[in-house]
């Protein structure tokens, strides 16, 4: 490591483009363009380089307006429908996600990208540093996808992807792939990866001889798509964002590790443990030395959004309530059959005694004296 120069000590702080991006002014590239145009100034003096190092935004103005201190990072979960581009604007005029998002949201930047025909979970944030933390492969944040592909593949071929694969000179890291089910000539495959390179899932499956017809991202780290309808967006709670930044590699608990459902009113059993309650180690006892008898800490639960925004005003797809079935008529089935019976005549009942069926045995004649009361028997 080279010795530090005492005459030119390293300056503490960040580039002004990074600070302005964190404050939600614009993207770093857009801020660099604004600096070149002379729209950014410090204490009234325009700056000419985006490499300016600052410790805070005190005295910084953009177009003559002072810049406020950056607010806490906010994170949103968006169910991207197929057919939308993940970009702010498209030169060809194709629709983008910003054309469908509600207008009352703050300035949001996407975490990663989803292709035009890829759907599912897309993370949006107001903080550029959080965006970079989520995107870097070194962070180790998992991405889960479900792919429907045409062709034939075996589980052994998918398990070989755990060692990574090189396709046309591009090295793809470890991929955990599992064959879910087959539906006719198509297969459903679940894939979990941590790199997220451009079109990685499609290229790997094409390398195996499959043609992807549908691709859905279902999870990004601990954030799940869940029951978020296409076109809907929800915000993650602030304490969940803080917890994620402390431990970005944690994943949601599997189904068997999640706490049981809440109790009914009449249930008198013990209440389920809350996953957000801090775990406390048990006191030393006779069973503390045996790890098989020691209680385990609860696994982290999946993070879900706290409130939803309606994207209907911009043409987004919103969930519709199922139509209620028509009420059943009060007329009984017997009355309906009677009204439509062709044997029915005016003023005559249909349920009169019917004659014997053709080919049936004749009824036995009644015995003599049948129906008469028997005389009472008295003992003499």
């Amino acid at each position: 490591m080279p010795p530090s120069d005492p005459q030119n000590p390293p300056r503490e702080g960040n580039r002004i483009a990074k600070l302005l991006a964190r404050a939600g002014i614009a993207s770093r590239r857009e801020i660099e363009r604004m600096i070149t145009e002379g729209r950014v100034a410090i204490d009234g003096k325009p700056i000419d380089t985006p490499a300016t190092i600052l410790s805070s935004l005190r005295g910084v103005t953009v177009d003559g307006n002072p810049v406020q201190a950056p607010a806490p990072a906010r994170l949103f979960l968006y169910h991207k429908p197929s057919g939308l581009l993940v970009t702010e604007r498209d030169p060809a005029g194709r629709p983008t996600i910003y054309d469908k998002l509600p207008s009352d949201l703050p300035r949001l930047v996407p975490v990663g990208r989803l292709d035009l025909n890829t759907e599912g979970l897309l993370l949006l944030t107001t903080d550029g540093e959080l965006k970079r933390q989520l995107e870097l492969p070194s962070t180790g944040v998992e991405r889960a996808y479900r792919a429907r592909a045409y062709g034939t593949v075996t589980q052994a071929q998918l398990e070989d992807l755990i060692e990574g694969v090189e396709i046309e000179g591009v090295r793809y890291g470890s991929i955990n792939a599992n064959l879910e089910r087959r539906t006719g000539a198509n297969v459903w495959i679940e894939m979990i990866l941590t790199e997220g390179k451009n079109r990685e899932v499609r290229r790997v499956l094409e390398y195996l001889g499959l043609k992807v017809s549908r691709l859905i991202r279902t999870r990004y780290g601990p954030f799940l798509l869940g029951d978020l309808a296409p076109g809907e967006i929800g915000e993650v709670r602030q304490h969940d964002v803080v917890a994620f930044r402390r431990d970005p590699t944690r994943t949601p608990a599997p189904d068997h590790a999640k706490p049981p459902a809440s109790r009914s009113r009449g249930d008198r059993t013990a209440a389920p443990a809350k996953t957000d309650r801090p775990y406390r180690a048990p006191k030393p006892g006779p069973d503390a030395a045996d790890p098989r008898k020691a209680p385990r800490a609860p696994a982290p639960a999946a993070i879900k959004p706290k409130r939803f925004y309606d994207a209907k005003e911009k043409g987004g797809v919103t969930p519709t309530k199922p139509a209620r079935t028509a009420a059943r008529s009060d007329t009984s089935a017997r009355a309906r059959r009677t009204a439509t019976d062709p044997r029915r005549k005016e003023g005559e009942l249909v349920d009169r005694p019917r004659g014997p069926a053709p080919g049936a045995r004749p009824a036995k004649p009644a015995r003599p004296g049948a129906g008469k009361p028997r005389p009472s028997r008295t003992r003499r």
Side-chain angles (χ1 to χ4, degrees):
M1 180 177 179
S4 60
D5 189 358
Q7 296 181 356
N8 298 317
R11 300 180 60 182
E12 297 182 357
N14 296 302
R15 288 173 173 255
I16 187 172
K18 180 178 180 180
L19 294 177
L20 291 176
R22 289 186 58 188
I25 300 300
S27 64
R28 293 192 185 186
R29 292 183 180 179
E30 185 67 23
I31 292 173
E32 292 176 358
R33 190 179 301 110
M34 295 167 65
I35 292 175
T36 305
E37 297 172 355
R39 300 167 57 186
V40 182
I42 301 178
D43 296 332
K45 183 180 179 180
I47 61 175
D48 55 358
T49 174
T52 304
I53 304 297
L54 297 177
S55 58
S56 67
L57 293 174
R58 182 179 301 176
V60 178
T61 58
V62 177
D63 295 335
N65 302 319
V67 179
Q68 302 294 332
R74 299 173 66 182
L75 187 64
F76 295 82
L77 309 184
Y78 176 58
H79 189 161
K80 174 193 171 297
S82 178
L84 297 181
L85 288 174
V86 184
T87 183
E88 190 172 355
R89 62 182 66 90
D90 180 53
R94 291 173 294 181
T96 69
I97 60 171
Y98 293 99
D99 298 332
K100 305 299 181 181
L101 290 176
S103 57
D104 59 342
L105 292 176
R107 178 186 172 275
L108 299 175
V109 291
V111 177
R113 302 280 177 176
L114 288 179
D115 298 336
L116 177 67
N117 297 324
T118 304
E119 54 189 295
L121 181 61
L122 178 65
L123 270 59
L124 303 169
T125 180
T126 58
D127 189 274
E129 187 176 352
L130 177 60
K131 164 186 166 68
R132 182 169 176 81
Q133 182 184 13
L134 284 161
E135 291 178 343
L136 282 177
S138 59
T139 308
V141 180
E142 292 183 349
R143 293 93 155 160
Y145 296 84
R146 293 184 69 243
R148 183 183 66 188
Y150 175 81
T152 304
V153 70
T154 63
Q155 181 62 33
Q157 291 177 284
L158 297 177
E159 291 176 356
D160 291 340
L161 299 177
I162 200 68
E163 303 295 336
V165 63
E166 184 173 349
I167 304 174
E168 298 180 356
V170 179
R171 180 68 184 179
Y172 297 99
S174 176
I175 300 176
N176 184 6
N178 292 287
L179 184 63
E180 285 190 350
R181 69 177 186 272
R182 300 181 185 272
T183 55
N186 296 318
V187 292
W188 280 94
I189 301 173
E190 181 188 17
M191 305 182 69
I192 301 176
L193 48 134
T194 57
E195 286 186 343
K197 293 181 179 178
N198 184 28
R199 300 178 63 86
E200 180 173 354
V201 175
R202 295 181 183 272
R203 290 182 177 179
V204 170
L205 293 181
E206 289 175 0
Y207 174 76
L208 298 178
L210 301 175
K211 184 178 180 180
V212 179
S213 59
R214 188 178 182 186
L215 184 59
I216 309 169
R217 182 195 280 170
T218 59
R219 179 171 64 86
Y220 201 112
F223 307 105
L224 298 179
L225 180 63
D227 55 356
L228 204 63
E232 277 191 339
I233 183 170
E235 184 177 4
V236 179
R237 297 177 176 86
Q238 188 59 226
H239 70 271
D240 288 330
V241 177
V242 175
F244 166 77
R245 303 190 79 163
R246 287 198 301 259
D247 184 13
T249 58
R250 73 180 181 124
T251 55
D255 294 338
H256 64 272
K258 292 181 180 179
S262 58
R263 296 182 302 166
S264 61
R265 182 171 297 182
D267 190 4
R268 299 298 181 182
T269 57
K274 295 182 178 180
T275 56
D276 56 351
R277 182 180 300 171
Y279 173 71
R280 296 181 180 179
K283 296 181 179 180
D287 296 335
D290 191 352
R292 295 173 297 179
K293 298 182 180 180
R296 298 180 180 178
I303 297 178
K304 298 181 180 180
K306 69 175 182 179
R307 68 172 176 140
F308 294 89
Y309 291 84
D310 189 1
K312 185 177 181 181
E313 61 180 15
K314 287 202 172 185
V317 182
T318 54
T320 57
K321 296 182 179 179
R324 301 182 63 180
T325 57
R328 189 174 180 179
S329 176
D330 296 336
T331 308
S332 64
R334 181 177 179 181
R336 290 194 298 268
R337 290 196 303 268
T338 303
T340 58
D341 197 311
R343 298 174 298 165
R344 182 177 180 272
K345 296 181 180 180
E346 189 69 25
E348 186 177 348
L349 296 177
V350 175
D351 293 339
R352 60 183 183 273
R354 299 178 181 179
R361 294 181 180 180
K364 295 182 180 180
R367 294 180 301 172
K372 296 182 179 180
R374 293 183 178 182
S376 59
R377 299 180 179 180
T378 57
R379 297 181 63 181
R380 295 182 180 177

